[in-house]
């Protein structure tokens, strides 16, 4: 028996911390004793019973985790190996990481990178891994520190916080956008050169605005993304990885056909293993690991439901990691 956060649906959805056994876990060829998971925006949506995330019940939420292999019939992994997982539908279609054990397809697992502890890997988590995918996309499209400033929306959240830290260490000039200007000192400590209020990006976007940014890391969507696109300079690159402000995109073709702006979607869930390994290797080099203590709070499984509500209300700064054995 082990502890797990379980979402079930018998008429209405319920979420409860329960003692369960492996019969609740979905099929896989590797069983992991989990050390840490995280609480992401998608997890919070599921835990608070917002529609569209959980595809079947009962479900253990948690879109990522890190731990040690308990047993394996997969050729790449053996008992005692330290591993991590991001995405692949865990916590949505396949039982996830907010539990003391998981059973998954070994093809989904990433060996824990050298120089990272299990706790550090989840302090980075899916948010940091997604941030790195955004940075890699900017680089591969030729955006360099000399190209111009980079705009990061949702800057005080998990993706934004780590994106700022990475970009700053790489020498980029970073402008942070946040709805919580009381976090300005936090954002500047991460490396932001300027901090702008979210309200400047929430209104209806013009087809084109003054060219300001060589690149964008956007977690918001909707008007915020539309305004960011309108302010992207000629040949600039916009990476989109979230929908915190909405799934719509009220823009026009003008930035794309008159300025050659590129809009690149970043999917962390089903990204090929080659990209995952590259992102995690770069994170060990390009992220200042000492900053992780400043961007995380660590909670037990019993605290997840309350913090999930806070996360959906924009009351959480940085990253939330879950010590599933606390």
């Amino acid at each position: 028996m082990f502890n797990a956060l379980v979402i079930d649906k018998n008429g209405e959805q319920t979420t409860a911390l329960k003692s369960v056994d492996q019969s609740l876990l979905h099929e896989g060829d590797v069983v992991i004793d989990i050390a840490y998971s995280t609480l992401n925006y998608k997890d919070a949506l599921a835990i608070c019973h917002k529609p569209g995330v959980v595809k079947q019940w009962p479900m253990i939420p948690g879109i990522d985790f890190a731990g040690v292999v308990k047993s394996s019939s997969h050729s790449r992994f053996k008992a005692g190996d330290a591993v991590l997982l991001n995405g692949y539908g865990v916590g949505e279609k396949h039982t996830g990481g907010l539990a003391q054990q998981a059973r998954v397809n070994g093809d989904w697992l990433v060996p824990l990178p050298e120089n990272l502890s299990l706790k550090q890997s989840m302090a980075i988590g899916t948010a940091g891994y997604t941030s790195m995918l955004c940075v890699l996309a900017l680089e591969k499209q030729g955006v360099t520190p000399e190209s111009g400033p980079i705009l990061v929306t949702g800057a005080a959240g998990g993706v934004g916080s780590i994106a700022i830290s990475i970009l700053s260490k790489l020498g980029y000039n970073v402008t942070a956008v946040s709805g919580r200007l009381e976090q300005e000192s936090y954002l500047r400590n991460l490396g932001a050169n300027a901090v702008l209020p979210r309200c400047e990006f929430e209104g209806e976007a013009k087809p084109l605005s003054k060219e300001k940014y060589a690149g964008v890391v956007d977690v918001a969507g909707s008007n915020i993304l539309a305004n960011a696109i309108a302010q992207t300079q000629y040949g600039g690159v916009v990476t989109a990885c979230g929908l915190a402000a909405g799934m719509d995109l009220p823009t026009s073709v003008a930035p794309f056909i008159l300025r050659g702006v590129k809009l690149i979607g970043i999917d962390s869930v089903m990204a090929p293993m080659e990209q995952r390994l590259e992102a995690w290797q770069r994170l060990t080099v390009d992220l200042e690991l000492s900053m992780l203590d400043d961007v995380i709070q660590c909670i037990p499984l019993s605290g997840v439901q309350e913090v999930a509500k806070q996360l959906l209300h924009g009351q959480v700064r940085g990253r939330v990691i879950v010590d599933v054995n606390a």
Side-chain angles (χ1 to χ4, degrees), residues 85-131:
L85 183 147
N86 309 108
Y88 284 114
V90 299
E92 303 173 69
K93 298 180 291 185
H94 190 102
T95 47
L98 287 170
Q100 292 175 313
Q101 282 191 14
R103 183 167 56 208
V104 299
N105 184 335
D107 291 340
W108 301 346
L109 295 170
V110 172
L112 182 73
E114 292 184 14
N115 305 320
L116 279 186
S117 68
L118 292 170
K119 185 175 182 179
Q120 285 174 323
S121 75
M122 285 299 99
I124 297 168
T126 290
Y129 151 66
T130 302
S131 299

Side-chain angles (χ1 to χ4, degrees), residues 16 45 83 92 95 120 142 163 186 197 206 213 246 258-259 268 305 326:
L45 289 172
V83 295
E92 303 173 69
T95 47
Q120 285 174 323
Y186 163 77
K206 298 177 181 178
Y213 306 108
L258 298 180
R259 289 184 181 166
S268 64
Q305 289 175 263

Side-chain angles (χ1 to χ4, degrees), residues 139-219:
E139 290 180 344
K140 289 173 182 177
Q141 293 296 322
V143 179
T144 68
E146 292 70 37
S147 301
I150 307 297
L151 187 74
V152 177
T153 69
V159 173
S161 294
I162 295 180
I164 291 168
S165 181
I166 295 169
L167 289 164
S168 176
K169 185 175 180 181
L170 290 172
Y172 290 88
N173 182 303
V174 181
T175 297
V177 177
S178 178
R180 294 175 278 172
L181 290 184
E182 69 274 11
Q183 303 294 346
E184 180 170 356
S185 62
Y186 163 77
L187 296 171
R188 289 188 179 276
N189 286 338
L190 291 177
N193 302 91
V195 180
L196 299 177
R198 184 176 61 203
C199 60
E200 291 188 10
F201 292 80
E202 290 181 314
E204 183 178 351
K206 298 177 181 178
L208 293 171
S209 297
K210 184 178 179 180
E211 298 177 53
K212 295 180 180 179
Y213 306 108
V216 177
V217 175
D218 177 70
V219 305

